[in-house]
Amino acid sequence: MTSAEDGSSTGAPPSPRVPRVPRHTVIAAYVGARRRRFADRQQLARWQQPRLERALRRARTAYPFYAQVPEGGLAAFPILDKRTWLEHFQQLNARGLTLDECLTAARMLEQQRRFDTRLRGLSVGLSTGTSGRQGAFLTSGRERAVWAGTILARALPDGLRRRERVALVLRAGGPLYESVGSALVSFRFVDLYEPLVAQAAALQDVAPTVLAAPPVLLDRLATLLREGRLRISPRLVYSVADVLDPEVAARVEAAFGVPLGQIYQATEGFLGITCRHGTMHLNEDLLVVEREEIDTASGRFVPIVTDLWRTSQAVVRFRMGDVLVPAPQCPCGSGYAAIARIEGRSDDVLLLPAAGSGSPPGSGPGDGGLSGGVAGASREGVSVFADSVRAAVLGVADVADFRLTQLAPDRVRLAVDPAQAHPAAVAALDALWQRAGVRPPIVEQADHEPLPSAAKARRVRREF
Ligand SMILES: [Zn+2]
């Protein structure tokens, strides 16, 4: 299924399936994003301030949920997590759309792999349900244009001076990505849910100069390249939409022969992208990012984002599910915050009772000290971060891959490839539990799936 063959409108290529975005807005956003450079944080803050004030004024009038918020800047607004945000969905969008009507409409078309759902002039997309409940996101043509112009400005170092063929392999991300396209840039959306062989054929056909795909798929394409079953040579490759493990990055870079960039994109917006030095920078000209610090030693934080541009749906003090690790200042000189790693959903942090505590997380104080940067303690128990679990298990010489799922406060399920390495992996985890100062959970053994679905691509998950 390709973007330009639908024929349902007479619009120019590449995609008649998707509502078109105003091209002059794309160009304006592109030019603006390329021009915006901030030498330091103060300069950035001065630029953000009036735009933030305007966004908050707009929030009070456009979204009923905020009508009663007292004056007092950002701090006067409540922090919303996804669950609360979905509960008040109707009061948090400018058209009074209910979550149910959006989900019904979007699901119906997603089944047909069409992404042009529109309700009262807004496009509706489905967001991945990480914690069970699926959400919907609404965008206007103008918002998509700003988004597109900005991502082009940041993702193409040479800008629009040279002709690019961009291939994107994603789940229902269609409307945002596909709605751009000009004489200089062509977009091709490849469906993440198609079989690998069909995806490879589509990519071979496009011969992309720029490729963006989730890491699990890049890894599989890297295998095809090595085996000579795929011949493409994009000069820019981006990992998008999921957490990128260093081992996957190394394999992909080796196979493609180019450095792997990373786009940090979520339902809540285009949050960040790597610079030429490979450092992830947050797009603080699109968003104001507050930090909820969860570990003092490393500075790990959960970002709380406020969008400066959106007008169709509120993103005001939205608490993301990700955990970010700050980086020292980047040699590129950008004033945007530098991020060393995205550790993915905060659900991917294991939560275990402190060693010696009698009660499971959530029912006791359990605030032991921090342990060597692998864990952080809080009232809920001790957090063991996904990257320390990855380092421990993949540090075992025989382990090629693994999945670890925490099922309960005292129980995890571990699948190791190859299965013979299971005892060694368990031993490595035992050492980790000890370092982190937690009570060792029961480790159940499970079979490793050689090709997990995109949804199961995360190695470390917490499911309770
Ligand atoms: Zn940089």
Side-chain angles (χ1 to χ4, degrees), residues 350-353 404-414 439-444 461 464:
L350 304 183
L351 204 53
L352 293 155
L404 185 137
T405 310
Q406 186 177 8
L407 306 166
D410 60 351
R411 205 152 42 90
V412 299
R413 184 173 58 213
L414 175 67
R439 184 139 46 89
I442 299 159
V443 182
E444 287 179 11
R461 298 165 68 87
F464 76 94

mmCIF file with all atom_site columns, all heavy atoms in Angstrom, residues 350-353 404-414 439-444 461 464:
data_model
loop_
_atom_site.group_PDB
_atom_site.id
_atom_site.type_symbol
_atom_site.label_atom_id
_atom_site.label_alt_id
_atom_site.label_comp_id
_atom_site.label_asym_id
_atom_site.label_entity_id
_atom_site.label_seq_id
_atom_site.pdbx_PDB_ins_code
_atom_site.Cartn_x
_atom_site.Cartn_y
_atom_site.Cartn_z
_atom_site.occupancy
_atom_site.B_iso_or_equiv
_atom_site.pdbx_formal_charge
_atom_site.auth_seq_id
_atom_site.auth_comp_id
_atom_site.auth_asym_id
_atom_site.auth_atom_id
_atom_site.pdbx_PDB_model_num
ATOM 1   N N   . LEU A 1 350 ? 12.084 -0.938  36.595 1.00 0.00 ? 350 LEU A N   1
ATOM 2   C CA  . LEU A 1 350 ? 11.599 -1.976  37.513 1.00 0.00 ? 350 LEU A CA  1
ATOM 3   C C   . LEU A 1 350 ? 11.438 -1.359  38.895 1.00 0.00 ? 350 LEU A C   1
ATOM 4   O O   . LEU A 1 350 ? 12.198 -0.477  39.289 1.00 0.00 ? 350 LEU A O   1
ATOM 5   C CB  . LEU A 1 350 ? 12.588 -3.139  37.587 1.00 0.00 ? 350 LEU A CB  1
ATOM 6   C CG  . LEU A 1 350 ? 12.952 -3.825  36.273 1.00 0.00 ? 350 LEU A CG  1
ATOM 7   C CD1 . LEU A 1 350 ? 13.884 -5.008  36.545 1.00 0.00 ? 350 LEU A CD1 1
ATOM 8   C CD2 . LEU A 1 350 ? 11.705 -4.283  35.530 1.00 0.00 ? 350 LEU A CD2 1
ATOM 9   N N   . LEU A 1 351 ? 10.441 -1.805  39.598 1.00 0.00 ? 351 LEU A N   1
ATOM 10  C CA  . LEU A 1 351 ? 10.171 -1.267  40.923 1.00 0.00 ? 351 LEU A CA  1
ATOM 11  C C   . LEU A 1 351 ? 10.163 -2.427  41.904 1.00 0.00 ? 351 LEU A C   1
ATOM 12  O O   . LEU A 1 351 ? 9.270  -3.270  41.862 1.00 0.00 ? 351 LEU A O   1
ATOM 13  C CB  . LEU A 1 351 ? 8.807  -0.573  40.888 1.00 0.00 ? 351 LEU A CB  1
ATOM 14  C CG  . LEU A 1 351 ? 8.534  0.504   41.914 1.00 0.00 ? 351 LEU A CG  1
ATOM 15  C CD1 . LEU A 1 351 ? 9.633  1.552   41.917 1.00 0.00 ? 351 LEU A CD1 1
ATOM 16  C CD2 . LEU A 1 351 ? 7.198  1.154   41.588 1.00 0.00 ? 351 LEU A CD2 1
ATOM 17  N N   . LEU A 1 352 ? 11.195 -2.467  42.759 1.00 0.00 ? 352 LEU A N   1
ATOM 18  C CA  . LEU A 1 352 ? 11.363 -3.632  43.631 1.00 0.00 ? 352 LEU A CA  1
ATOM 19  C C   . LEU A 1 352 ? 11.453 -3.185  45.088 1.00 0.00 ? 352 LEU A C   1
ATOM 20  O O   . LEU A 1 352 ? 11.924 -2.077  45.378 1.00 0.00 ? 352 LEU A O   1
ATOM 21  C CB  . LEU A 1 352 ? 12.649 -4.372  43.238 1.00 0.00 ? 352 LEU A CB  1
ATOM 22  C CG  . LEU A 1 352 ? 12.606 -5.022  41.845 1.00 0.00 ? 352 LEU A CG  1
ATOM 23  C CD1 . LEU A 1 352 ? 14.010 -5.181  41.278 1.00 0.00 ? 352 LEU A CD1 1
ATOM 24  C CD2 . LEU A 1 352 ? 11.883 -6.352  41.896 1.00 0.00 ? 352 LEU A CD2 1
ATOM 25  N N   . PRO A 1 353 ? 11.032 -4.062  46.014 1.00 0.00 ? 353 PRO A N   1
ATOM 26  C CA  . PRO A 1 353 ? 11.160 -3.689  47.418 1.00 0.00 ? 353 PRO A CA  1
ATOM 27  C C   . PRO A 1 353 ? 12.630 -3.607  47.830 1.00 0.00 ? 353 PRO A C   1
ATOM 28  O O   . PRO A 1 353 ? 13.453 -4.371  47.308 1.00 0.00 ? 353 PRO A O   1
ATOM 29  C CB  . PRO A 1 353 ? 10.439 -4.823  48.160 1.00 0.00 ? 353 PRO A CB  1
ATOM 30  C CG  . PRO A 1 353 ? 10.308 -5.937  47.186 1.00 0.00 ? 353 PRO A CG  1
ATOM 31  C CD  . PRO A 1 353 ? 10.428 -5.379  45.806 1.00 0.00 ? 353 PRO A CD  1
ATOM 32  N N   . LEU A 1 404 ? 12.885 -8.942  29.518 1.00 0.00 ? 404 LEU A N   1
ATOM 33  C CA  . LEU A 1 404 ? 12.576 -9.083  30.928 1.00 0.00 ? 404 LEU A CA  1
ATOM 34  C C   . LEU A 1 404 ? 11.329 -8.272  31.244 1.00 0.00 ? 404 LEU A C   1
ATOM 35  O O   . LEU A 1 404 ? 11.239 -7.095  30.916 1.00 0.00 ? 404 LEU A O   1
ATOM 36  C CB  . LEU A 1 404 ? 13.754 -8.618  31.791 1.00 0.00 ? 404 LEU A CB  1
ATOM 37  C CG  . LEU A 1 404 ? 13.536 -8.856  33.293 1.00 0.00 ? 404 LEU A CG  1
ATOM 38  C CD1 . LEU A 1 404 ? 14.781 -9.414  33.952 1.00 0.00 ? 404 LEU A CD1 1
ATOM 39  C CD2 . LEU A 1 404 ? 13.114 -7.588  33.999 1.00 0.00 ? 404 LEU A CD2 1
ATOM 40  N N   . THR A 1 405 ? 10.354 -8.934  31.840 1.00 0.00 ? 405 THR A N   1
ATOM 41  C CA  . THR A 1 405 ? 9.100  -8.277  32.179 1.00 0.00 ? 405 THR A CA  1
ATOM 42  C C   . THR A 1 405 ? 8.848  -8.432  33.670 1.00 0.00 ? 405 THR A C   1
ATOM 43  O O   . THR A 1 405 ? 8.882  -9.554  34.183 1.00 0.00 ? 405 THR A O   1
ATOM 44  C CB  . THR A 1 405 ? 7.933  -8.937  31.402 1.00 0.00 ? 405 THR A CB  1
ATOM 45  O OG1 . THR A 1 405 ? 8.289  -9.015  30.027 1.00 0.00 ? 405 THR A OG1 1
ATOM 46  C CG2 . THR A 1 405 ? 6.660  -8.126  31.545 1.00 0.00 ? 405 THR A CG2 1
ATOM 47  N N   . GLN A 1 406 ? 8.630  -7.319  34.348 1.00 0.00 ? 406 GLN A N   1
ATOM 48  C CA  . GLN A 1 406 ? 8.272  -7.426  35.762 1.00 0.00 ? 406 GLN A CA  1
ATOM 49  C C   . GLN A 1 406 ? 6.755  -7.609  35.851 1.00 0.00 ? 406 GLN A C   1
ATOM 50  O O   . GLN A 1 406 ? 5.981  -6.780  35.390 1.00 0.00 ? 406 GLN A O   1
ATOM 51  C CB  . GLN A 1 406 ? 8.700  -6.190  36.550 1.00 0.00 ? 406 GLN A CB  1
ATOM 52  C CG  . GLN A 1 406 ? 8.452  -6.387  38.040 1.00 0.00 ? 406 GLN A CG  1
ATOM 53  C CD  . GLN A 1 406 ? 8.912  -5.238  38.911 1.00 0.00 ? 406 GLN A CD  1
ATOM 54  O OE1 . GLN A 1 406 ? 9.303  -4.175  38.419 1.00 0.00 ? 406 GLN A OE1 1
ATOM 55  N NE2 . GLN A 1 406 ? 8.859  -5.447  40.221 1.00 0.00 ? 406 GLN A NE2 1
ATOM 56  N N   . LEU A 1 407 ? 6.338  -8.726  36.448 1.00 0.00 ? 407 LEU A N   1
ATOM 57  C CA  . LEU A 1 407 ? 4.916  -9.080  36.485 1.00 0.00 ? 407 LEU A CA  1
ATOM 58  C C   . LEU A 1 407 ? 4.265  -8.660  37.792 1.00 0.00 ? 407 LEU A C   1
ATOM 59  O O   . LEU A 1 407 ? 3.063  -8.418  37.843 1.00 0.00 ? 407 LEU A O   1
ATOM 60  C CB  . LEU A 1 407 ? 4.760  -10.594 36.318 1.00 0.00 ? 407 LEU A CB  1
ATOM 61  C CG  . LEU A 1 407 ? 5.427  -11.211 35.083 1.00 0.00 ? 407 LEU A CG  1
ATOM 62  C CD1 . LEU A 1 407 ? 5.503  -12.718 35.218 1.00 0.00 ? 407 LEU A CD1 1
ATOM 63  C CD2 . LEU A 1 407 ? 4.670  -10.816 33.818 1.00 0.00 ? 407 LEU A CD2 1
ATOM 64  N N   . ALA A 1 408 ? 5.050  -8.598  38.838 1.00 0.00 ? 408 ALA A N   1
ATOM 65  C CA  . ALA A 1 408 ? 4.530  -8.265  40.171 1.00 0.00 ? 408 ALA A CA  1
ATOM 66  C C   . ALA A 1 408 ? 5.701  -7.701  40.972 1.00 0.00 ? 408 ALA A C   1
ATOM 67  O O   . ALA A 1 408 ? 6.850  -7.807  40.535 1.00 0.00 ? 408 ALA A O   1
ATOM 68  C CB  . ALA A 1 408 ? 3.981  -9.525  40.828 1.00 0.00 ? 408 ALA A CB  1
ATOM 69  N N   . PRO A 1 409 ? 5.439  -7.111  42.127 1.00 0.00 ? 409 PRO A N   1
ATOM 70  C CA  . PRO A 1 409 ? 6.548  -6.546  42.903 1.00 0.00 ? 409 PRO A CA  1
ATOM 71  C C   . PRO A 1 409 ? 7.661  -7.544  43.175 1.00 0.00 ? 409 PRO A C   1
ATOM 72  O O   . PRO A 1 409 ? 8.823  -7.160  43.260 1.00 0.00 ? 409 PRO A O   1
ATOM 73  C CB  . PRO A 1 409 ? 5.871  -6.126  44.211 1.00 0.00 ? 409 PRO A CB  1
ATOM 74  C CG  . PRO A 1 409 ? 4.456  -5.855  43.841 1.00 0.00 ? 409 PRO A CG  1
ATOM 75  C CD  . PRO A 1 409 ? 4.125  -6.816  42.731 1.00 0.00 ? 409 PRO A CD  1
ATOM 76  N N   . ASP A 1 410 ? 7.313  -8.845  43.254 1.00 0.00 ? 410 ASP A N   1
ATOM 77  C CA  . ASP A 1 410 ? 8.344  -9.816  43.618 1.00 0.00 ? 410 ASP A CA  1
ATOM 78  C C   . ASP A 1 410 ? 8.583  -10.853 42.525 1.00 0.00 ? 410 ASP A C   1
ATOM 79  O O   . ASP A 1 410 ? 9.079  -11.937 42.783 1.00 0.00 ? 410 ASP A O   1
ATOM 80  C CB  . ASP A 1 410 ? 7.943  -10.520 44.925 1.00 0.00 ? 410 ASP A CB  1
ATOM 81  C CG  . ASP A 1 410 ? 6.613  -11.258 44.771 1.00 0.00 ? 410 ASP A CG  1
ATOM 82  O OD1 . ASP A 1 410 ? 5.951  -11.072 43.715 1.00 0.00 ? 410 ASP A OD1 1
ATOM 83  O OD2 . ASP A 1 410 ? 6.246  -12.026 45.674 1.00 0.00 ? 410 ASP A OD2 1
ATOM 84  N N   . ARG A 1 411 ? 8.187  -10.528 41.265 1.00 0.00 ? 411 ARG A N   1
ATOM 85  C CA  . ARG A 1 411 ? 8.282  -11.554 40.232 1.00 0.00 ? 411 ARG A CA  1
ATOM 86  C C   . ARG A 1 411 ? 8.620  -10.933 38.872 1.00 0.00 ? 411 ARG A C   1
ATOM 87  O O   . ARG A 1 411 ? 8.001  -9.953  38.466 1.00 0.00 ? 411 ARG A O   1
ATOM 88  C CB  . ARG A 1 411 ? 6.939  -12.282 40.139 1.00 0.00 ? 411 ARG A CB  1
ATOM 89  C CG  . ARG A 1 411 ? 7.017  -13.687 39.602 1.00 0.00 ? 411 ARG A CG  1
ATOM 90  C CD  . ARG A 1 411 ? 5.873  -14.554 40.149 1.00 0.00 ? 411 ARG A CD  1
ATOM 91  N NE  . ARG A 1 411 ? 4.605  -13.825 40.148 1.00 0.00 ? 411 ARG A NE  1
ATOM 92  C CZ  . ARG A 1 411 ? 3.738  -13.818 39.146 1.00 0.00 ? 411 ARG A CZ  1
ATOM 93  N NH1 . ARG A 1 411 ? 3.989  -14.500 38.047 1.00 0.00 ? 411 ARG A NH1 1
ATOM 94  N NH2 . ARG A 1 411 ? 2.619  -13.143 39.235 1.00 0.00 ? 411 ARG A NH2 1
ATOM 95  N N   . VAL A 1 412 ? 9.614  -11.522 38.203 1.00 0.00 ? 412 VAL A N   1
ATOM 96  C CA  . VAL A 1 412 ? 9.912  -11.092 36.832 1.00 0.00 ? 412 VAL A CA  1
ATOM 97  C C   . VAL A 1 412 ? 9.926  -12.318 35.928 1.00 0.00 ? 412 VAL A C   1
ATOM 98  O O   . VAL A 1 412 ? 10.110 -13.443 36.391 1.00 0.00 ? 412 VAL A O   1
ATOM 99  C CB  . VAL A 1 412 ? 11.287 -10.367 36.717 1.00 0.00 ? 412 VAL A CB  1
ATOM 100 C CG1 . VAL A 1 412 ? 11.328 -9.111  37.562 1.00 0.00 ? 412 VAL A CG1 1
ATOM 101 C CG2 . VAL A 1 412 ? 12.443 -11.291 37.062 1.00 0.00 ? 412 VAL A CG2 1
ATOM 102 N N   . ARG A 1 413 ? 9.709  -12.055 34.628 1.00 0.00 ? 413 ARG A N   1
ATOM 103 C CA  . ARG A 1 413 ? 9.803  -13.134 33.644 1.00 0.00 ? 413 ARG A CA  1
ATOM 104 C C   . ARG A 1 413 ? 10.971 -12.817 32.727 1.00 0.00 ? 413 ARG A C   1
ATOM 105 O O   . ARG A 1 413 ? 11.075 -11.691 32.228 1.00 0.00 ? 413 ARG A O   1
ATOM 106 C CB  . ARG A 1 413 ? 8.504  -13.217 32.845 1.00 0.00 ? 413 ARG A CB  1
ATOM 107 C CG  . ARG A 1 413 ? 8.479  -14.376 31.851 1.00 0.00 ? 413 ARG A CG  1
ATOM 108 C CD  . ARG A 1 413 ? 7.119  -14.516 31.212 1.00 0.00 ? 413 ARG A CD  1
ATOM 109 N NE  . ARG A 1 413 ? 6.761  -13.272 30.536 1.00 0.00 ? 413 ARG A NE  1
ATOM 110 C CZ  . ARG A 1 413 ? 5.522  -12.797 30.425 1.00 0.00 ? 413 ARG A CZ  1
ATOM 111 N NH1 . ARG A 1 413 ? 4.516  -13.437 30.948 1.00 0.00 ? 413 ARG A NH1 1
ATOM 112 N NH2 . ARG A 1 413 ? 5.284  -11.656 29.806 1.00 0.00 ? 413 ARG A NH2 1
ATOM 113 N N   . LEU A 1 414 ? 11.834 -13.790 32.520 1.00 0.00 ? 414 LEU A N   1
ATOM 114 C CA  . LEU A 1 414 ? 13.036 -13.547 31.724 1.00 0.00 ? 414 LEU A CA  1
ATOM 115 C C   . LEU A 1 414 ? 13.096 -14.541 30.565 1.00 0.00 ? 414 LEU A C   1
ATOM 116 O O   . LEU A 1 414 ? 12.991 -15.744 30.769 1.00 0.00 ? 414 LEU A O   1
ATOM 117 C CB  . LEU A 1 414 ? 14.287 -13.707 32.613 1.00 0.00 ? 414 LEU A CB  1
ATOM 118 C CG  . LEU A 1 414 ? 15.637 -13.597 31.919 1.00 0.00 ? 414 LEU A CG  1
ATOM 119 C CD1 . LEU A 1 414 ? 15.883 -12.178 31.395 1.00 0.00 ? 414 LEU A CD1 1
ATOM 120 C CD2 . LEU A 1 414 ? 16.766 -14.001 32.863 1.00 0.00 ? 414 LEU A CD2 1
ATOM 121 N N   . ARG A 1 439 ? 15.379 -6.526  47.181 1.00 0.00 ? 439 ARG A N   1
ATOM 122 C CA  . ARG A 1 439 ? 15.088 -7.933  47.473 1.00 0.00 ? 439 ARG A CA  1
ATOM 123 C C   . ARG A 1 439 ? 14.956 -8.656  46.140 1.00 0.00 ? 439 ARG A C   1
ATOM 124 O O   . ARG A 1 439 ? 14.145 -8.263  45.303 1.00 0.00 ? 439 ARG A O   1
ATOM 125 C CB  . ARG A 1 439 ? 13.777 -8.004  48.259 1.00 0.00 ? 439 ARG A CB  1
ATOM 126 C CG  . ARG A 1 439 ? 13.401 -9.391  48.715 1.00 0.00 ? 439 ARG A CG  1
ATOM 127 C CD  . ARG A 1 439 ? 12.833 -9.396  50.138 1.00 0.00 ? 439 ARG A CD  1
ATOM 128 N NE  . ARG A 1 439 ? 11.831 -8.345  50.366 1.00 0.00 ? 439 ARG A NE  1
ATOM 129 C CZ  . ARG A 1 439 ? 10.514 -8.496  50.146 1.00 0.00 ? 439 ARG A CZ  1
ATOM 130 N NH1 . ARG A 1 439 ? 10.041 -9.610  49.663 1.00 0.00 ? 439 ARG A NH1 1
ATOM 131 N NH2 . ARG A 1 439 ? 9.672  -7.512  50.419 1.00 0.00 ? 439 ARG A NH2 1
ATOM 132 N N   . PRO A 1 440 ? 15.770 -9.715  45.899 1.00 0.00 ? 440 PRO A N   1
ATOM 133 C CA  . PRO A 1 440 ? 15.727 -10.386 44.592 1.00 0.00 ? 440 PRO A CA  1
ATOM 134 C C   . PRO A 1 440 ? 14.336 -10.943 44.290 1.00 0.00 ? 440 PRO A C   1
ATOM 135 O O   . PRO A 1 440 ? 13.769 -11.650 45.119 1.00 0.00 ? 440 PRO A O   1
ATOM 136 C CB  . PRO A 1 440 ? 16.742 -11.531 44.748 1.00 0.00 ? 440 PRO A CB  1
ATOM 137 C CG  . PRO A 1 440 ? 17.609 -11.126 45.881 1.00 0.00 ? 440 PRO A CG  1
ATOM 138 C CD  . PRO A 1 440 ? 16.760 -10.317 46.811 1.00 0.00 ? 440 PRO A CD  1
ATOM 139 N N   . PRO A 1 441 ? 13.793 -10.633 43.121 1.00 0.00 ? 441 PRO A N   1
ATOM 140 C CA  . PRO A 1 441 ? 12.492 -11.184 42.757 1.00 0.00 ? 441 PRO A CA  1
ATOM 141 C C   . PRO A 1 441 ? 12.624 -12.633 42.274 1.00 0.00 ? 441 PRO A C   1
ATOM 142 O O   . PRO A 1 441 ? 13.719 -13.075 41.944 1.00 0.00 ? 441 PRO A O   1
ATOM 143 C CB  . PRO A 1 441 ? 12.058 -10.282 41.598 1.00 0.00 ? 441 PRO A CB  1
ATOM 144 C CG  . PRO A 1 441 ? 13.338 -9.821  40.987 1.00 0.00 ? 441 PRO A CG  1
ATOM 145 C CD  . PRO A 1 441 ? 14.354 -9.761  42.092 1.00 0.00 ? 441 PRO A CD  1
ATOM 146 N N   . ILE A 1 442 ? 11.518 -13.342 42.233 1.00 0.00 ? 442 ILE A N   1
ATOM 147 C CA  . ILE A 1 442 ? 11.493 -14.669 41.624 1.00 0.00 ? 442 ILE A CA  1
ATOM 148 C C   . ILE A 1 442 ? 11.641 -14.479 40.117 1.00 0.00 ? 442 ILE A C   1
ATOM 149 O O   . ILE A 1 442 ? 10.980 -13.620 39.530 1.00 0.00 ? 442 ILE A O   1
ATOM 150 C CB  . ILE A 1 442 ? 10.152 -15.371 41.930 1.00 0.00 ? 442 ILE A CB  1
ATOM 151 C CG1 . ILE A 1 442 ? 9.992  -15.527 43.443 1.00 0.00 ? 442 ILE A CG1 1
ATOM 152 C CG2 . ILE A 1 442 ? 10.025 -16.698 41.208 1.00 0.00 ? 442 ILE A CG2 1
ATOM 153 C CD1 . ILE A 1 442 ? 8.556  -15.729 43.885 1.00 0.00 ? 442 ILE A CD1 1
ATOM 154 N N   . VAL A 1 443 ? 12.521 -15.255 39.491 1.00 0.00 ? 443 VAL A N   1
ATOM 155 C CA  . VAL A 1 443 ? 12.721 -15.130 38.040 1.00 0.00 ? 443 VAL A CA  1
ATOM 156 C C   . VAL A 1 443 ? 12.095 -16.335 37.331 1.00 0.00 ? 443 VAL A C   1
ATOM 157 O O   . VAL A 1 443 ? 12.550 -17.464 37.491 1.00 0.00 ? 443 VAL A O   1
ATOM 158 C CB  . VAL A 1 443 ? 14.223 -15.029 37.680 1.00 0.00 ? 443 VAL A CB  1
ATOM 159 C CG1 . VAL A 1 443 ? 14.392 -14.856 36.177 1.00 0.00 ? 443 VAL A CG1 1
ATOM 160 C CG2 . VAL A 1 443 ? 14.873 -13.871 38.422 1.00 0.00 ? 443 VAL A CG2 1
ATOM 161 N N   . GLU A 1 444 ? 11.024 -16.072 36.581 1.00 0.00 ? 444 GLU A N   1
ATOM 162 C CA  . GLU A 1 444 ? 10.402 -17.136 35.786 1.00 0.00 ? 444 GLU A CA  1
ATOM 163 C C   . GLU A 1 444 ? 11.112 -17.213 34.440 1.00 0.00 ? 444 GLU A C   1
ATOM 164 O O   . GLU A 1 444 ? 11.434 -16.192 33.858 1.00 0.00 ? 444 GLU A O   1
ATOM 165 C CB  . GLU A 1 444 ? 8.930  -16.789 35.477 1.00 0.00 ? 444 GLU A CB  1
ATOM 166 C CG  . GLU A 1 444 ? 8.000  -16.909 36.632 1.00 0.00 ? 444 GLU A CG  1
ATOM 167 C CD  . GLU A 1 444 ? 6.589  -16.510 36.212 1.00 0.00 ? 444 GLU A CD  1
ATOM 168 O OE1 . GLU A 1 444 ? 6.332  -16.342 34.993 1.00 0.00 ? 444 GLU A OE1 1
ATOM 169 O OE2 . GLU A 1 444 ? 5.745  -16.358 37.110 1.00 0.00 ? 444 GLU A OE2 1
ATOM 170 N N   . ARG A 1 461 ? 10.408 -4.264  30.610 1.00 0.00 ? 461 ARG A N   1
ATOM 171 C CA  . ARG A 1 461 ? 9.080  -3.695  30.787 1.00 0.00 ? 461 ARG A CA  1
ATOM 172 C C   . ARG A 1 461 ? 8.579  -3.962  32.196 1.00 0.00 ? 461 ARG A C   1
ATOM 173 O O   . ARG A 1 461 ? 8.946  -4.925  32.822 1.00 0.00 ? 461 ARG A O   1
ATOM 174 C CB  . ARG A 1 461 ? 8.059  -4.351  29.852 1.00 0.00 ? 461 ARG A CB  1
ATOM 175 C CG  . ARG A 1 461 ? 8.335  -4.183  28.407 1.00 0.00 ? 461 ARG A CG  1
ATOM 176 C CD  . ARG A 1 461 ? 7.501  -5.159  27.603 1.00 0.00 ? 461 ARG A CD  1
ATOM 177 N NE  . ARG A 1 461 ? 6.087  -4.848  27.672 1.00 0.00 ? 461 ARG A NE  1
ATOM 178 C CZ  . ARG A 1 461 ? 5.483  -3.999  26.865 1.00 0.00 ? 461 ARG A CZ  1
ATOM 179 N NH1 . ARG A 1 461 ? 6.157  -3.378  25.941 1.00 0.00 ? 461 ARG A NH1 1
ATOM 180 N NH2 . ARG A 1 461 ? 4.196  -3.772  26.968 1.00 0.00 ? 461 ARG A NH2 1
ATOM 181 N N   . PHE A 1 464 ? 2.880  -3.961  35.948 1.00 0.00 ? 464 PHE A N   1
ATOM 182 C CA  . PHE A 1 464 ? 1.901  -3.945  37.052 1.00 0.00 ? 464 PHE A CA  1
ATOM 183 C C   . PHE A 1 464 ? 1.866  -2.537  37.604 1.00 0.00 ? 464 PHE A C   1
ATOM 184 O O   . PHE A 1 464 ? 2.737  -1.735  37.296 1.00 0.00 ? 464 PHE A O   1
ATOM 185 C CB  . PHE A 1 464 ? 2.277  -4.939  38.162 1.00 0.00 ? 464 PHE A CB  1
ATOM 186 C CG  . PHE A 1 464 ? 3.411  -4.462  39.040 1.00 0.00 ? 464 PHE A CG  1
ATOM 187 C CD1 . PHE A 1 464 ? 3.151  -3.788  40.234 1.00 0.00 ? 464 PHE A CD1 1
ATOM 188 C CD2 . PHE A 1 464 ? 4.723  -4.635  38.657 1.00 0.00 ? 464 PHE A CD2 1
ATOM 189 C CE1 . PHE A 1 464 ? 4.205  -3.336  41.023 1.00 0.00 ? 464 PHE A CE1 1
ATOM 190 C CE2 . PHE A 1 464 ? 5.769  -4.187  39.440 1.00 0.00 ? 464 PHE A CE2 1
ATOM 191 C CZ  . PHE A 1 464 ? 5.506  -3.535  40.628 1.00 0.00 ? 464 PHE A CZ  1
#
